[in-house]
């Protein structure tokens, strides 16, 4: 086995330390304020180009919905483009385009966010428009009916017409017994069919208040000027208390689960999911944070680069027969709710899902038994650090990172703290999590089985015209 030289190790550790210090210095330029109505303002100057990214984050997503109205957070995101008393439906996007900008929005399990990138001298106009629709969103019932049809078509195209998407949707529904992560972000079709305009309006009134939102601005800006505009446009929105969120904790899993899903697929898919810790606050040095970071590095060792372990063993077949066409490993490092460590693969032709499943587990057991080398860990740390540094080249990514940190309740230095903590993870800690978190009790197995009869039936259905979707 080739050992890392002391000189290389010293240079490597110096590189990581320098990168972490540089990243910390970049984030140190960001400033956070609380407006009089409770809304958070985060400003990060970056004068390398005359452009600015503007985002409004709302701490509400699919996980905040209740049974019977799944998908309402995402539907409401669409409806925020449908007008206010002074800005007609569709006018928001037309005005952003006229300013020379681009805009969109997204809904996740944890959040809803609206974003624009415009020339720096147009920021005030964007803030005026966004504050107006945040506070004064309204639309007639027939506008809702039309947009709901768009969302249902989005579900058909992206989920119901995709065997893999349907499989992963059903997989999530089986992984989580009580936690709202079991519901799809786009919503169950039966809930969309039954959704009313008042469902969306009630969700808007319940969650869209200043104290549940943050404005994030990154780019060629003056902090004092941005704060003045924020007070003028966002600070004028009346304050309201944020509703109490009832805890919806996932019960401890007491044994393995399994879902076998048959669909009109061309190839099988195998997924193994394990309930594991995630980082709640990088400022807290505790066992859960250490384990979460070690699990992320384990995922990178298994599948973080072209020469990673899973690819070599299962796809390239370096130590035996070729078993898979593709493999992956990932870990949910952060989130408002519980997270999973995933192992997945597409079996090669003639290879059974059970064989691939055993091979995936064998690679984790090998790490548990033999550990990882210092060189492996250094490589994935370097890649992880580099990817975080390269993100800072984009003002949009800077705003995205700052908004994500606010969403999770982290301080402005959260990302830099995370890099420092990750740099301290040792090979022994990676081996330890491989030994402790991959038993059957916390495992959910999913297998997508190709069904020839269903595939034949699917090919006989006539193709339908597909309207353009917003995002």
């Amino acid at each position: 086995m080739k050992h890392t030289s002391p000189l290389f190790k010293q240079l490597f550790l110096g590189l990581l330390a320098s990168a972490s210090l540089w990243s910390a210095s970049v984030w140190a330029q960001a400033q956070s304020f609380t407006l009089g109505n409770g809304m958070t303002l985060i400003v990060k100057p970056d004068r390398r180009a005359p452009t600015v990214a503007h985002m409004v984050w709302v701490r509400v997503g699919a996980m905040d919905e209740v049974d019977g109205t799944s998908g309402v957070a995402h539907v409401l995101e669409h409806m925020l483009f449908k007008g206010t008393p002074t800005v007609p439906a569709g006018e928001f996007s037309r005005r952003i385009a006229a300013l020379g900008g681009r805009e969109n929005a997204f809904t996740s399990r944890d959040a809803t966010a609206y974003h624009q990138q415009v020339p720096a001298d147009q920021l005030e106009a964007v803030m005026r428009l966004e504050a107006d629709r945040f506070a004064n969103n309204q639309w007639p019932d027939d506008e809702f009916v039309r947009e709901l049809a768009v969302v249902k078509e989005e579900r058909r195209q992206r989920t119901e017409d995709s065997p893999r998407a349907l499989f992963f949707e059903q997989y999530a529904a089986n992984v989580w017994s009580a936690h709202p992560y079991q519901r799809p972000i786009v919503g169950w079709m039966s809930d969309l069919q039954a959704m009313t305009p008042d469902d969306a309006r009630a969700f808007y009134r319940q969650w869209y208040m200043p104290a549940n939102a943050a404005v994030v601005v990154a780019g060629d800006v003056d902090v004092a000027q941005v704060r003045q505009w924020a007070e003028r446009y966002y600070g004028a929105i009346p304050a309201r208390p944020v509703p109490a969120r009832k805890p919806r904790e996932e019960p401890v899993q007491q044994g393995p689960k399994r879902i076998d899903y048959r669909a009109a697929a061309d190839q099988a898919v195998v997924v193994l999911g394990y309930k594991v810790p995630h980082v709640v606050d990088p400022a807290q040095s505790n066992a859960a944070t250490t384990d979460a970071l070690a699990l992320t590095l384990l995922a990178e060792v298994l599948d973080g680069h072209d020469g990673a372990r899973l690819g070599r063993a299962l796809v390239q077949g370096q130590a035996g027969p070729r078993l898979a066409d593709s493999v992956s490993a990932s870990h949910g490092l952060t989130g408002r709710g519980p997270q999973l460590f995933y192992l997945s693969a597409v079996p090669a032709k003639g290879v059974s899902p059970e064989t691939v499943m055993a091979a995936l587990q064998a690679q984790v057991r090998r790490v548990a038994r033999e550990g990882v080398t210092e060189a492996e860990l250094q490589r994935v740390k370097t890649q992880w650090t580099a990817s975080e540094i390269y993100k800072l080249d984009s003002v949009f990514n800077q705003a995205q990172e700052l908004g994500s940190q606010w969403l999770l309740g982290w301080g402005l230095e959260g990302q830099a703290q995370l890099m420092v903590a990750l740099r301290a993870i040792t090979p022994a800690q990676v081996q330890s999590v491989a030994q402790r978190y991959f038993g059957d009790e916390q495992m959910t197995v999913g297998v997508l089985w190709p069904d020839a009869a269903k595939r034949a039936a699917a090919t006989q259905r006539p193709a339908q015209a597909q309207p353009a979707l917003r995002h």
Side-chain angles (χ1 to χ4, degrees):
M1 181 181 294
K2 184 177 180 179
H3 295 281
T4 304
S5 71
L7 178 59
F8 176 84
K9 181 177 180 180
Q10 183 179 1
L11 291 172
F12 169 79
L13 293 176
L15 170 65
L16 282 184
S18 298
S20 296
L21 288 172
W22 183 81
S23 176
S25 69
V26 170
W27 292 123
Q29 300 171 33
Q31 298 184 52
S32 179
F33 310 94
T34 301
L35 306 184
N37 56 11
M39 183 175 273
T40 299
L41 170 67
I42 301 172
V43 187
K44 164 63 175 61
D46 185 333
R47 300 188 178 280
R48 290 177 294 175
T51 186
V52 61
H54 173 271
M55 302 188 77
V56 170
W57 287 74
V58 189
R59 193 178 278 120
V60 65
M63 71 173 289
D64 299 289
E65 299 162 349
V66 297
D67 289 340
T69 60
S70 67
V72 69
H74 174 237
V75 171
L76 179 58
E77 173 222 308
H78 279 240
M79 297 313 299
L80 256 78
F81 290 86
K82 298 305 173 182
T84 72
T86 58
V87 180
E91 183 65 17
F92 184 97
S93 297
R94 285 192 289 271
R95 291 190 186 182
I96 296 297
L99 295 174
R102 59 181 186 268
E103 47 82 45
N104 213 322
F106 63 84
T107 304
S108 70
R109 298 184 303 181
D110 296 336
T112 311
Y114 305 84
H115 54 87
Q116 304 84 31
Q117 188 161 347
V118 295
D121 60 358
Q122 301 299 330
L123 175 60
E124 182 183 8
V126 170
M127 296 179 76
R128 184 189 305 114
L129 278 168
E130 190 67 271
D132 176 49
R133 74 168 174 178
F134 180 92
N136 303 308
N137 179 234
Q138 67 176 43
W139 26 263
D141 287 359
D142 59 348
E143 192 71 52
F144 176 85
V145 172
R146 285 192 292 270
E147 195 63 27
L148 184 62
V150 172
V151 174
K152 288 188 282 189
E153 185 60 30
E154 181 178 332
R155 178 180 166 82
R156 291 187 189 99
Q157 289 186 28
R158 297 179 178 175
T159 303
E160 296 186 356
D161 289 347
S162 168
R164 288 193 184 184
L166 283 172
F167 163 62
F168 281 107
E169 183 178 82
Q170 290 295 317
Y171 180 82
N174 281 267
V175 167
W176 308 111
S177 299
H179 198 274
Y181 278 176
Q182 66 182 207
R183 293 190 295 265
I185 295 169
V186 73
W188 299 113
M189 183 60 87
S190 59
D191 287 346
L192 295 177
Q193 297 283 15
M195 193 172 293
T196 69
D198 285 341
D199 289 330
R201 293 180 180 123
F203 198 79
Y204 171 67
R205 289 191 299 268
Q206 183 179 13
W207 296 112
Y208 278 60
M209 66 277 297
N212 198 41
V215 179
V216 184
V217 176
D220 186 12
V221 296
D222 175 80
V223 175
Q225 178 65 80
V226 174
R227 186 178 183 182
Q228 180 182 345
W229 289 335
E231 291 284 4
R232 179 183 305 166
Y233 300 115
Y234 291 103
I237 302 171
R240 288 189 291 126
V242 180
R245 287 179 165 92
K246 294 184 178 181
R248 287 175 285 182
E249 296 183 2
E250 180 71 11
V252 177
Q253 188 173 329
Q254 301 295 342
K257 301 180 188 179
R258 176 161 177 150
I259 172 175
D260 290 277
Y261 188 85
R262 300 186 181 277
D266 295 324
Q267 290 179 287
V269 177
V270 173
V271 180
L272 304 174
Y274 300 85
K275 294 187 173 78
V276 295
H278 66 286
V279 174
V280 175
D281 184 353
Q284 296 179 358
S285 179
N286 54 37
T289 296
T290 298
D291 283 357
L293 291 167
L295 285 160
T296 289
L297 289 176
L298 173 62
E300 293 297 306
V301 167
L302 293 172
D303 182 41
H305 51 90
D306 290 341
R309 292 187 177 210
L310 290 182
R312 291 202 314 268
L314 277 71
V315 179
Q316 299 173 24
Q318 288 189 359
R322 184 176 182 276
L323 300 177
D325 289 340
S326 64
V327 291
S328 69
S330 63
H331 170 236
L333 182 61
T334 63
R336 286 176 57 202
Q339 301 296 313
L340 296 176
F341 189 108
Y342 288 102
L343 297 168
S344 65
V346 174
K349 185 176 181 179
V351 179
S352 72
E354 303 298 331
T355 298
V356 173
M357 192 184 311
L360 289 169
Q361 293 174 307
Q363 289 301 313
V364 178
R365 285 196 294 269
R366 181 185 171 194
V367 175
R369 183 177 62 253
E370 302 174 4
V372 298
T373 67
E374 184 80 19
E376 279 183 296
L377 203 55
Q378 289 175 353
R379 177 172 183 171
V380 297
K381 284 181 180 180
T382 301
Q383 288 182 309
W384 194 87
T385 302
S387 68
E388 294 302 309
I389 296 296
Y390 292 151
K391 283 182 185 178
L392 303 182
D393 285 338
S394 161
V395 292
F396 176 80
N397 285 341
Q398 292 178 37
Q400 178 101 351
E401 289 288 319
L402 289 165
S404 298
Q405 292 179 181
W406 168 84
L407 173 72
L408 297 169
W410 297 3
L412 297 177
E413 67 285 355
Q415 190 63 29
Q417 291 171 334
L418 200 66
M419 291 179 67
V420 171
L422 182 132
R423 185 160 56 91
I425 298 298
T426 67
Q429 289 168 326
V430 174
Q431 182 178 15
S432 176
V433 294
Q435 293 169 342
R436 291 184 284 118
Y437 287 108
F438 294 89
D440 289 349
E441 282 200 351
Q442 295 292 307
M443 177 180 69
T444 300
V445 176
V447 181
L448 170 61
W449 297 91
D451 188 306
K454 292 182 178 181
R455 187 163 62 249
T459 59
Q460 294 174 2
R461 289 198 297 267
Q464 298 181 354
Q466 296 182 349
L469 302 178
R470 176 165 185 83
H471 53 205

